[in-house]
Amino acid sequence: MIIIQGLTALGSQGAVWGTESEDLDATLVRWEEGRGVTAHIGKEVDVVMVVLAGTGIVRVDSESQGAAAGTVIVIPKGSEREVRAGQGGLTYVNVHKRKRKMLPNMVRPGR
């Protein structure tokens, strides 16, 4: 069992915390307004995204969904996805089946 408390107090942005078990990966992600993850195709695993704080837009293929605290989005593998933080930023947890390590595509301001 892994128990972590106080995650919302972590600073920075992007992937600010993560853990893995034999079967699962979990990552806490935080973005400032206008930043996020650029469009890319996730070919390996389905992802469950749980929004903890803030607002944003999540696009999966051609469908965009507003996201706020309490929103849960299941993102199927093979789909194109993009995340952009709204006013006040966006904090969420991604959970998925464990996969090989890779770096996310991060949006720089003004892009």
Side-chain angles (χ1 to χ4, degrees), residues 28-97:
L28 177 71
V29 183
R30 178 174 293 137
W31 297 111
E32 293 176 359
E33 182 177 343
R35 297 195 64 169
V37 180
T38 59
H40 68 284
I41 296 175
K43 296 179 182 179
E44 293 186 55
V45 294
D46 296 338
V47 176
V48 175
M49 176 182 186
V50 181
V51 179
L52 302 176
T55 64
I57 299 291
V58 178
R59 184 180 60 78
V60 178
D61 291 327
S62 62
E63 186 177 347
S64 292
Q65 172 68 47
T71 302
V72 176
I73 300 172
V74 176
I75 304 171
K77 68 181 171 188
S79 61
E80 183 177 72
R81 69 278 310 263
E82 179 177 13
V83 178
R84 185 73 56 138
Q87 188 173 15
L90 180 65
T91 302
Y92 57 92
V93 173
N94 278 342
V95 179
H96 54 78
K97 181 179 172 184

Side-chain angles (χ1 to χ4, degrees), residues 15-36:
V16 298
W17 175 87
T19 191
E20 58 186 30
S21 69
E22 186 175 331
D23 296 326
L24 295 175
D25 284 343
T27 307
L28 177 71
V29 183
R30 178 174 293 137
W31 297 111
E32 293 176 359
E33 182 177 343
R35 297 195 64 169

